[in-house]
Amino acid sequence: MTAKLKPSTVRVAESNPAAVDRYKDMRAAVMAIPEVDKMFCEILITCQLATLGHEGAFKIHAQRLFQLNVSRERLEQFILAGLGVTMVIPEVARTLDWIEQAHREHVAGQ
């Protein structure tokens, strides 16, 4: 069993709570635009984290998508859309493993 990772904001706040408060203010301002589709943004952020190879943050955001009723299969298709464009096949395979792990954790937590 793997240990549950802390969200980045929690870890940084342990060292500097004010920095995280300002970060959250900035994120709220970015997301406050009425035309912004919050689910689309979450999908975009999750895919960007996969491309950058940030496993812990990716899994946290993948679980948020599962909570928003995005299926595991749908998330896999979003990742596969980047195959050969923004990600090479080993990166896609690695991310599919992360999705599987995050989904398993999500189901176990329900």
Side-chain angles (χ1 to χ4, degrees):
M1 181 74 78
T2 59
K4 188 163 177 98
L5 293 172
K6 293 179 187 178
S8 302
T9 53
V10 171
R11 179 61 188 100
V12 173
E14 291 172 353
S15 180
N16 189 326
V20 172
D21 289 342
R22 297 302 73 74
Y23 172 78
K24 288 182 177 182
D25 290 344
M26 183 268 304
R27 294 297 303 153
V30 169
M31 298 300 286
I33 300 167
E35 297 82 28
V36 171
D37 179 329
K38 292 182 184 8
M39 183 180 293
F40 177 77
C41 286
E42 191 63 42
I43 291 165
L44 180 64
I45 291 166
T46 306
C47 291
Q48 289 172 335
L49 290 167
T51 302
L52 293 169
H54 295 296
E55 179 180 2
F58 172 85
K59 288 179 179 178
I60 289 167
H61 285 268
Q63 288 189 22
R64 287 183 188 168
L65 288 171
F66 298 145
Q67 292 167 356
L68 293 170
N69 296 317
V70 172
S71 70
R72 174 183 167 181
E73 295 78 15
R74 188 169 181 206
L75 180 53
E76 289 172 346
Q77 290 304 309
F78 293 138
I79 295 302
L80 287 167
L83 179 60
V85 180
T86 58
M87 298 174 78
V88 295
I89 201 162
E91 293 169 326
V92 170
R94 173 198 65 201
T95 304
L96 294 174
D97 286 343
W98 294 349
I99 292 170
E100 181 181 347
Q101 294 162 7
H103 190 260
R104 214 176 18 247
E105 291 173 17
H106 171 72
V107 170
Q110 289 185 334

